[in-house]
């Protein structure tokens, strides 16, 4: 993911520049629509665009992979919910004050809030483990509004033109921001050493991670959040922003602190915690991710071995 457009090939430069122009134009035009109408409008637009990109097929494939775990879900309805939530989230990230006002008004429930306050009182650092669920920036904005200043680790977008204004937008929900990579990790460690709070997304395929069951199938998952929590004595607390039925408001759910043990056990607990809330609100998790790459690679390897055996 080049950080500088000068590192791009001519074709990539043109493709990224053009797509950024389109997206920026779309976001600017959407900004002229009142917030209450803009958010659902973006949900519908992303749903339509996602079908053109084939994202509905990826949702069906992922759902089929974990069946019969979720055999009662309708793949078409799930795609609509997932893409609608993603579109609403994009609109919210760029909305500024209207979104912040909704986030500030969101109730915070669960034992994790007391764990956070206890850790702050004791001078302990805190790692808030979240996921691509609901709108995780709503949780960050809600806690910042209540005086819990925090940083966040983020993954840079592949499109460097889009990434520039995207990062500026998410910074408005709280700083400092740490870009995933060697430099960002160093900055995050310094932040934790000072007793700071940081949010980290835990549901992406992670190189060097461990295969941990998610809906009964192995998904390569980073153990870094647990390792950091153990190394620096940080409270590791799952947090989610659950979108409410009106599509605009949120409830911030902070579950119990993950008990310190070892990185693998703690990461399994985080994964189980996420699975539990996804079961309750399946359409709010980003089923478009290629979350189960580990299983797919193993399947391909098995097919090649079988083919070799058949031809031997």
């Amino acid at each position: 993911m080049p950080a500088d457009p000068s590192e791009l090939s001519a074709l990539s430069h043109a493709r990224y520049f053009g797509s950024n122009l389109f997206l920026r134009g779309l976001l600017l035009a959407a900004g002229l629509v009142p917030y209450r109408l803009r958010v659902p409008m973006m949900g519908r637009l992303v749903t339509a665009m996602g079908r053109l990109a084939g994202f509905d097929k990826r949702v069906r494939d992922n759902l089929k992979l974990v069946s019969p775990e979720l055999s009662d879900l309708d793949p078409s309805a799930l795609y609509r919910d997932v893409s609608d939530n993603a579109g609403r989230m994009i609109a919210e990230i760029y909305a500024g004050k209207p979104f912040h006002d909704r986030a500030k008004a969101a109730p915070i429930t669960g034992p994790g809030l007391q764990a956070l306050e206890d850790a702050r009182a004791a001078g302990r650092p805190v790692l808030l483990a979240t996921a691509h669920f609901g709108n995780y920036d709503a949780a960050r904005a809600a806690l910042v509004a209540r005086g819990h200043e925090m940083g966040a680790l983020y993954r840079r977008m592949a499109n460097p033109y889009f990434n520039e204004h995207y990062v500026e937008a998410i910074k408005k929900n709280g700083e400092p921001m740490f870009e995933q990579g060697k430099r960002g990790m160093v900055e995050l460690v310094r932040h934790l050493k000072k007793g700071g709070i940081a949010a980290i997304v835990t549901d992406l395929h992670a190189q060097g991670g461990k295969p941990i069951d998610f809906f009964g199938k192995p998904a390569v998952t980073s153990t870094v959040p647990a390792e950091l929590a153990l190394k620096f004595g940080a409270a590791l607390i799952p947090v989610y922003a659950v979108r409410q039925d009106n599509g605009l408001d949120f409830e911030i759910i902070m579950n119990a602190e993950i008990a310190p043990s070892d990185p693998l056990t703690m990461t399994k607990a985080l994964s189980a915690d996420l699975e539990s809330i996804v079961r309750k609100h399946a359409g709010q998790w980003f089923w478009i991710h290629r979350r189960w790459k580990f299983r797919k690679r193993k399947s391909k390897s098995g097919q090649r071995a079988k083919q070799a055996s058949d031809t031997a």
Side-chain angles (χ1 to χ4, degrees):
M1 295 184 182
D4 188 334
S6 65
E7 300 175 30
L8 296 169
S9 66
L11 180 61
S12 295
H13 176 91
R15 181 162 56 90
Y16 283 141
F17 187 78
S19 62
N20 179 60
L21 278 180
F22 170 76
L23 291 170
R24 282 296 280 163
L26 179 63
L27 289 167
L28 288 171
L32 301 175
V33 179
Y35 182 82
R36 183 178 289 275
L37 301 176
R38 182 194 325 161
V39 173
M41 179 189 76
M42 285 295 291
R44 290 191 292 271
L45 280 173
V46 169
T47 298
M49 293 167 64
R51 282 200 178 92
L52 294 175
F55 290 153
D56 56 336
K57 180 180 183 300
R58 193 176 302 167
V59 170
R60 287 197 303 272
D61 289 345
N62 279 334
L63 188 59
K64 183 179 179 181
L65 181 65
V66 300
S67 290
E69 290 290 320
L70 297 172
S71 58
D72 58 332
L73 289 179
D74 176 6
S76 296
L78 181 62
Y79 168 71
R80 287 195 301 271
D81 290 343
V82 169
S83 55
D84 178 74
N85 183 72
R88 287 172 183 264
M89 182 176 176
I90 292 170
E92 290 161 347
I93 286 173
Y94 285 86
K97 187 177 185 300
F99 171 60
H100 294 154
D101 288 345
R102 297 270 179 176
K104 290 175 185 177
I108 302 179
T109 61
L113 179 59
Q114 187 61 53
L116 169 64
E117 293 174 347
D118 289 347
R120 301 309 297 151
R124 290 176 66 199
V126 177
L127 273 170
L128 297 174
T130 189
H132 291 86
F133 176 94
N135 186 337
Y136 46 84
D137 268 331
R140 194 156 58 95
L143 288 168
V144 168
R146 288 162 173 79
H148 298 291
E149 297 298 329
M150 69 180 68
L153 185 71
Y154 72 96
R155 177 177 288 190
R156 175 163 44 91
M157 296 289 187
N159 186 330
Y161 299 105
F162 185 85
N163 185 73
E164 183 177 351
H165 54 82
Y166 168 76
V167 172
E168 287 304 311
I170 59 176
K171 279 183 177 179
K172 294 176 181 177
N173 293 320
E175 292 192 73
M177 299 295 297
F178 312 112
E179 183 180 314
Q180 185 173 334
K182 185 176 180 180
R183 179 178 176 181
M185 188 56 65
V186 169
E187 293 171 346
L188 174 60
V189 165
R190 287 175 181 165
H191 183 70
L192 293 175
K193 283 182 176 179
K194 295 176 183 177
I197 310 174
I200 188 167
V201 173
T202 63
D203 63 336
L204 289 174
H205 178 89
Q207 294 295 333
K210 301 294 184 182
I212 292 173
D213 278 4
F214 187 53
F215 287 102
K217 301 296 185 295
V220 177
T221 307
S222 175
T223 58
V224 168
E227 292 167 2
L228 290 173
L230 290 170
K231 184 172 183 178
F232 300 107
L236 183 60
I237 304 171
V239 57
Y240 312 100
V242 180
R243 190 178 297 281
Q244 300 300 283
D245 290 342
N246 66 6
L248 297 171
D249 293 317
F250 301 91
E251 177 188 0
I252 312 304
I253 296 179
M254 300 186 69
N255 287 338
E257 177 183 348
I258 301 298
S261 55
D262 62 83
L264 186 58
T265 300
M266 294 171 72
T267 304
K268 287 180 178 179
L270 281 176
S271 185
D273 194 271
L274 173 60
E275 181 177 323
S276 177
I277 199 163
V278 173
R279 286 182 180 278
K280 296 175 184 175
H281 309 279
Q284 297 198 38
W285 185 63
F286 201 61
W287 287 88
I288 293 168
H289 278 153
R290 291 188 176 94
R291 188 66 189 93
W292 291 274
K293 289 183 183 180
F294 176 81
R295 182 175 176 83
K296 292 175 182 178
R297 280 206 307 272
K298 293 285 283 186
S299 298
K300 290 178 181 178
S301 298
Q303 290 171 3
R304 285 195 294 268
K306 184 178 185 301
Q307 289 169 358
S309 175
D310 291 344
T311 56

